[in-house]
Amino acid sequence: MDIAILPSLLAADYGCLAEECRRVAAAGADALHVDIMDAHFVPNLSFGPDVTAMAHRTVPGLPLHVHLMMTHPHLLMDRFIDAGAASLLIHVEAACDLSRTLAQIRQSGVRTGLTLKPATPAAAVFPFLAEVDEVLVMTVEPGYGGQPFLPGMLAKLADIRREADRLGQGKLGLLVDGGINNGTAADCAAHGANGFIAGSALFRLADMRAGVSEMRAATTAAYGRMCQG
Ligand code: DX5
Ligand code: ZN
């Protein structure tokens, strides 16, 4: 049973991003989540390939989990692969050939993922489950950190986990992103999630290491109960 805790760089102190990357690595996180926004797919801008490359240079042992909130992810995906991404996630609502883009990512030796906005039904990713390592369910409207968790997304998690199990894909990573704290993370784990992306809840802590281990403990227990039940 693999639980993963991924702090989101979006909530870091931008005055010292390299130091913040080192703080995430020292906290025992499984990966660093890097949010890429294009001011078209979402109404905001964030980082690009150069900040991603900085993170890779700074903490080469920490996998970079790159979330492309972009209308045309295929136009820049090679730049993020070159920058050191370990996983690349594209949105199922993106304007690209999803299967082709996922295949190109996979051919580069990078893990693949599909992400859904809150209004997109679980069934939108069902045809692609065999083509991805993970599915990321947005639990807020993408674009900004610090928003409240949308509890209506719990049923979507359960639907995706059920379909993956039906297809024999018990190893599918099922992640959540937005409004994640120890309480909402445990609720998501009880509905089948095993990857937890948290921005404000982890970066605001003086002791991120304690925060990561508390979130890991809360979700491990809830996910274990879900697997048995
Ligand atoms: C939102 C981003 C999230 C964001 C979550 O569009 O995809 O990764 O950092 O922030 P919190 O945890 O503060 O809701
Ligand atoms: Zn994200």
Side-chain angles (χ1 to χ4, degrees):
M1 181 181 79
D2 287 337
I3 293 285
I5 309 294
L6 303 87
S8 171
L9 193 64
L10 195 68
D13 179 347
Y14 295 180
C16 51
L17 277 178
E19 191 47 48
E20 291 284 68
C21 291
R22 283 191 281 269
R23 186 156 76 104
V24 171
D30 297 280
L32 176 66
H33 184 77
V34 184
D35 283 309
I36 308 298
M37 303 183 184
D38 67 351
H40 186 269
F41 188 78
V42 291
N44 199 3
L45 285 167
S46 57
F47 315 121
D50 293 337
V51 169
T52 307
M54 176 282 297
H56 187 54
R57 271 197 315 276
T58 305
V59 283
L62 185 65
L64 299 181
H65 188 259
V66 179
H67 176 191
L68 300 178
M69 285 167 272
M70 300 177 62
T71 304
H72 301 296
H74 54 297
L75 299 182
L76 275 183
M77 65 182 189
D78 288 342
R79 299 274 312 277
F80 290 101
I81 292 168
D82 291 346
S87 311
L88 262 193
L89 294 97
I90 62 173
H91 268 264
V92 71
E93 306 90 354
C96 69
D97 181 330
L98 293 175
S99 289
R100 190 186 146 106
T101 305
L102 290 168
Q104 287 171 339
I105 294 170
R106 184 163 271 184
Q107 278 157 19
S108 307
V110 170
R111 283 172 59 87
T112 57
L114 262 186
T115 306
L116 311 79
K117 286 182 171 185
T120 303
V125 298
F126 289 174
F128 304 100
L129 287 181
E131 300 167 45
V132 295
D133 298 298
E134 54 191 50
V135 171
L136 168 55
V137 171
M138 288 306 302
T139 43
V140 298
E141 201 56 54
Y144 295 92
Q147 304 180 74
F149 177 81
L150 297 172
M153 299 302 108
L154 293 172
K156 192 190 289 191
L157 289 170
D159 288 348
I160 295 170
R161 179 59 77 198
R162 194 178 311 112
E163 180 67 5
D165 286 347
R166 195 183 69 79
L167 297 172
Q169 291 179 258
K171 284 202 184 314
L172 182 82
L174 184 56
L175 290 84
V176 285
D177 184 9
I180 296 301
N181 55 40
N182 289 346
T184 57
D187 290 344
C188 292
H191 288 78
N194 61 349
F196 306 89
I197 295 155
S200 27
L202 290 175
F203 272 92
R204 68 157 179 254
L205 300 173
D207 186 351
M208 190 190 286
R209 188 171 181 83
V212 167
S213 59
E214 279 163 26
M215 191 172 285
R216 194 184 300 286
T219 53
T220 299
Y223 190 71
R225 282 193 296 273
M226 190 275 311
C227 291
Q228 282 157 16

